[in-house]
Amino acid sequence: MPSTLPAIKVLVVDDSLLFRMKMESSLNEDPGIRVVGTAAGADEAMQKITQLKPDVLTLDVEMPRMNGIDFLKMLLPRHPLPVLVISSRADFALDAVEAGALDFEKKPAVNAPGDLDLFFDTIRGKIKAIYRSKVRGARAPLAPHARVLGNPSMFKNQRAVVAIGASTGGTEAIIQVVKDLPASTPGVVIVQHMPPGFTRMYAERLDKICNMTAKEAADGDRVETGLILLGAGEYHLTLKRDVKGYYVRSQKGEKVSGHCPSVDVLFQSCAEEAGGNSIGVILTGMGADGARGLTMMHDKGAYTIGQDQESCVVYGMPMEAYKRGGVTRQLPLSQIGQEILSQLSRMR
């Protein structure tokens, strides 16, 4: 039966005429999406936003006269639209999210037809995910932390590990959770759905603003106190254990739950290797990746946390985990970091 819901109105902003035309034709293939206009730059985009009143904006960051970051800072206080950034530059994409964009996608090479098909499938899904999402303004840039040790005696369990999974809206949500964890915190392993190259840049950003040290995971890295390991794009991240403790495998593989890296893959390995010595956290994101794995962690005795609906950009992954009974406690984003520390301090 055809959908009776109105199509999502999209404005495409990109300085390349060829890319605008391709975006318009490809997005319009989905009956649930209608491109109501295109713009080559910031001035034209602002004019068409006022005229056409789109539901969602796709935005290239590298534009003439005014870049996408400055445009977002000007746009969102006046027109709080859900914005999907499309960029080949990881640093620009992350800056755009900091400025208030809800999600981003890596811009593909225009001469790779197979990659383009996958790209447009992804874009259509992300447009639907951020439609009606909670739009926020730019946040103040976070200053680098001095490494704060905290009280190491808080954490008696030397086998404790924290696993976090997120997708749409997750780059900002993860920062809010981990930035104030002291350097005495047991090892943290994270999967955030992100393209190759972008994960390295994001790990470097985490390292600058967190008390803990952060890096993109490499195969064989040890999971250590004070260290955050972020799964690399297109590599599944799994937790392993030997006589010395935990380490990670970072390996290429088929997509699981639609993703590589997959939150389900990480959480399942934590259930198997760490069980009740682990804390699992599922944050904002579309789809269901992580729901099955978090439920496995919960059933193996892990303490599991789900981000609540009100604080999620997209209440998809946490909702699915909650519906399956995989969430011990559901909390606002602002309380999750403290809850992690409280639970770690109780582990013996």
Side-chain angles (χ1 to χ4, degrees):
M1 173 181 282
S3 172
T4 56
L5 295 174
I8 300 167
K9 296 184 293 181
V10 177
L11 179 68
V12 174
V13 184
D14 195 290
D15 63 345
S16 164
L17 174 61
L18 178 61
F19 194 76
R20 293 198 306 272
M21 292 172 61
K22 186 62 179 173
M23 280 280 287
E24 182 172 14
S25 63
S26 297
L27 294 181
N28 282 336
E29 290 173 7
D30 189 320
I33 296 172
R34 179 165 63 92
V35 175
V36 293
T38 67
D43 292 341
E44 186 183 5
M46 189 63 82
Q47 184 180 42
K48 289 193 174 180
I49 287 166
T50 304
Q51 291 174 346
L52 302 172
K53 296 179 170 50
D55 301 311
V56 174
L57 190 74
T58 71
L59 178 66
D60 183 17
V61 181
E62 299 177 87
M63 298 188 299
R65 298 186 60 181
M66 180 183 290
N67 66 47
I69 314 298
D70 292 336
F71 176 65
L72 279 169
K73 292 175 181 176
M74 179 183 71
L75 168 72
L76 293 179
R78 305 185 203 176
H79 303 281
L81 279 169
V83 176
L84 174 63
V85 164
I86 299 170
S87 176
S88 57
R89 291 273 303 268
D91 52 345
F92 284 178
L94 294 171
D95 287 343
V97 171
E98 192 173 276
L102 292 185
D103 204 353
F104 59 85
E105 186 59 31
K106 185 176 183 180
K107 198 169 192 176
V110 294
N111 58 353
D115 290 346
L116 279 176
D117 291 342
L118 178 60
F119 167 78
F120 286 116
D121 282 344
T122 302
I123 291 296
R124 287 188 283 264
K126 289 194 171 188
I127 286 171
K128 292 176 181 179
I130 66 171
Y131 175 55
R132 297 190 188 281
S133 295
K134 299 175 184 66
V135 180
R136 53 165 185 77
R139 66 161 170 81
L142 293 168
H145 268 295
R147 303 294 183 194
V148 178
L149 281 176
N151 181 4
S153 65
M154 287 174 60
F155 310 123
K156 301 289 188 183
N157 189 331
Q158 298 300 307
R159 297 168 296 168
V161 64
V162 179
I164 300 173
S167 186
T168 307
T171 54
E172 291 297 288
I174 287 168
I175 287 172
Q176 294 306 311
V177 170
V178 302
K179 67 183 174 68
D180 293 322
L181 298 179
S184 55
T185 304
V188 176
V189 287
I190 299 176
V191 162
Q192 160 71 39
H193 297 157
M194 205 179 288
F198 284 54
T199 44
R200 179 184 58 79
M201 188 73 68
Y202 182 55
E204 290 172 359
R205 187 162 295 201
L206 287 176
D207 187 63
K208 290 177 182 175
I209 62 179
C210 292
N211 292 315
M212 300 179 76
T213 299
K215 71 181 291 287
E216 184 183 61
D219 195 40
D221 277 346
R222 305 302 304 190
V223 178
E224 299 172 343
T225 295
L227 179 62
I228 296 168
L229 293 174
L230 179 75
E234 293 188 352
Y235 285 77
H236 286 303
L237 184 68
T238 53
L239 185 73
K240 297 294 181 181
R241 183 178 56 183
D242 60 18
V243 293
K244 297 179 183 177
Y246 300 117
Y247 65 99
V248 297
R249 299 306 308 271
S250 179
Q251 298 173 305
K252 290 251 187 185
E254 296 297 318
K255 289 183 179 180
V256 175
S257 304
H259 300 279
C260 183
S262 163
V263 183
D264 270 327
V265 169
L266 175 62
F267 283 174
Q268 180 177 340
S269 70
C270 291
E272 294 168 348
E273 300 291 345
N277 294 309
S278 61
I279 294 174
V281 182
I282 193 162
L283 302 175
T284 175
M286 64 177 177
D289 186 29
R292 182 176 70 251
L294 194 73
T295 304
M296 291 177 67
M297 289 183 70
H298 178 273
D299 293 347
K300 290 281 189 176
Y303 187 85
T304 56
I305 303 168
Q307 186 177 348
D308 73 356
Q309 183 172 3
E310 287 305 306
S311 64
C312 277
V313 171
V314 179
Y315 185 56
M317 288 162 48
M319 178 185 69
E320 289 300 324
Y322 184 77
K323 283 163 58 175
R324 293 180 189 219
V327 175
T328 308
R329 191 170 183 197
Q330 195 164 227
L331 289 169
L333 181 63
S334 61
Q335 298 179 23
I336 292 175
Q338 187 56 53
E339 183 69 8
I340 290 171
L341 294 178
S342 297
Q343 292 303 317
L344 286 170
S345 68
R346 293 180 183 134
M347 286 183 173
R348 293 293 182 264

